[in-house]
Amino acid sequence: YQEQTGEPVKILFLTRLWDDHEPGFSDQENAERTYINTMRIEIIRALRETYGDAFVGGLNDNELSRAWAPDLIMPAEYTERKRYLKLVHSCDICIGSMGLFESIGWKTGEYVAAAKAIVNERLHFTVTGDFAEGVNYLSFETVEECLAAVEELVQDPEKLYAMKQANAQYYQN
């Protein structure tokens, strides 16, 4: 997997899990958390299997991650804030998933600020300005669609570069 620069394309998805038995939350709210956790785990597993060392991704280390998917826990050096941001800047394609209450995950903004190509779970809210599907990000609703969107960018270095440029411009504006 090569970007226009001749360097290998790197793909990033570091994330966390949410307690899906949270007291005070409705069954529907806890079901959303189960969905989020399951989707995140399946995406990580699929990207690891498909892209091997070109993919950097996993879960932060906490009790939930140890219970749900201990094999996907990333060492702390990847998840510590400053090192995480350095890692974001070293990658080309960054994956974003839905946040709680169908929010846009906070990492999506970081990916834009870092001028990365973004593959993001379908957005449920409107983003300010000229932030467009196909230009600033590719969306997905299933693990298979996520993999297809990543592959589209991996196979098309010009599209990958154009998306990075579009996100740099969006951030500057």
Side-chain angles (χ1 to χ4, degrees), residues 12 14 77-91 106-107 110-111 114 116:
L12 175 70
L14 289 174
E77 68 244 25
Y78 290 98
T79 58
E80 186 273 323
R81 184 86 180 137
K82 283 184 181 177
R83 289 180 180 169
Y84 165 74
L85 290 173
K86 193 173 186 176
L87 186 60
V88 168
H89 285 279
S90 75
C91 291
W106 59 269
K107 285 189 280 187
E110 287 181 344
Y111 299 158
K116 299 301 159 187

Side-chain angles (χ1 to χ4, degrees), residues 109-171:
E110 287 181 344
Y111 299 158
V112 171
K116 299 301 159 187
I118 301 168
V119 173
N120 210 94
E121 196 164 1
R122 185 174 65 85
L123 302 180
H124 295 271
F125 295 93
T126 303
V127 177
T128 303
D130 216 7
F131 193 74
E133 157 84 43
V135 176
N136 300 92
Y137 69 100
L138 297 178
S139 71
F140 67 89
E141 292 188 34
T142 66
V143 174
E144 294 75 23
E145 288 176 4
C146 178
L147 288 174
V150 170
E151 187 64 16
E152 182 178 335
L153 292 170
V154 166
Q155 294 300 323
D156 190 343
E158 278 111 25
K159 185 170 193 160
L160 174 66
Y161 180 77
M163 186 175 287
K164 290 167 126 183
Q165 292 301 109
N167 284 325
Q169 183 176 8
Y170 179 85
Y171 182 72

Side-chain angles (χ1 to χ4, degrees), residues 2-170:
Q2 302 282 314
E3 191 188 3
Q4 277 185 327
T5 62
E7 295 293 315
V9 172
K10 287 180 67 179
I11 304 152
L12 175 70
F13 186 42
L14 289 174
T15 192
R16 62 167 295 180
L17 301 180
W18 295 102
D19 185 352
D20 62 343
H21 291 86
E22 189 72 37
F25 281 93
S26 70
D27 288 345
Q28 182 178 353
E29 289 167 329
N30 280 318
E32 179 190 60
R33 289 167 177 240
T34 301
Y35 165 81
I36 290 169
N37 292 346
T38 302
M39 178 68 95
R40 289 175 177 184
I41 287 168
E42 289 177 5
I43 290 168
I44 292 165
R45 287 204 164 106
L47 288 169
R48 276 188 179 181
E49 183 178 323
T50 304
Y51 293 101
D53 291 341
F55 173 66
V56 179
L59 303 171
N60 67 331
D61 187 4
N62 63 28
E63 206 173 302
L64 275 171
S65 297
R66 283 183 238 122
W68 278 68
D71 59 309
L72 300 182
I73 294 173
M74 294 295 287
E77 68 244 25
Y78 290 98
T79 58
E80 186 273 323
R81 184 86 180 137
K82 283 184 181 177
R83 289 180 180 169
Y84 165 74
L85 290 173
K86 193 173 186 176
L87 186 60
V88 168
H89 285 279
S90 75
C91 291
D92 303 290
I93 302 169
C94 296
I95 312 300
S97 62
M98 182 178 75
L100 296 178
F101 309 106
E102 297 185 332
S103 65
I104 299 170
W106 59 269
K107 285 189 280 187
T108 303
E110 287 181 344
Y111 299 158
V112 171
K116 299 301 159 187
I118 301 168
V119 173
N120 210 94
E121 196 164 1
R122 185 174 65 85
L123 302 180
H124 295 271
F125 295 93
T126 303
V127 177
T128 303
D130 216 7
F131 193 74
E133 157 84 43
V135 176
N136 300 92
Y137 69 100
L138 297 178
S139 71
F140 67 89
E141 292 188 34
T142 66
V143 174
E144 294 75 23
E145 288 176 4
C146 178
L147 288 174
V150 170
E151 187 64 16
E152 182 178 335
L153 292 170
V154 166
Q155 294 300 323
D156 190 343
E158 278 111 25
K159 185 170 193 160
L160 174 66
Y161 180 77
M163 186 175 287
K164 290 167 126 183
Q165 292 301 109
N167 284 325
Q169 183 176 8
Y170 179 85

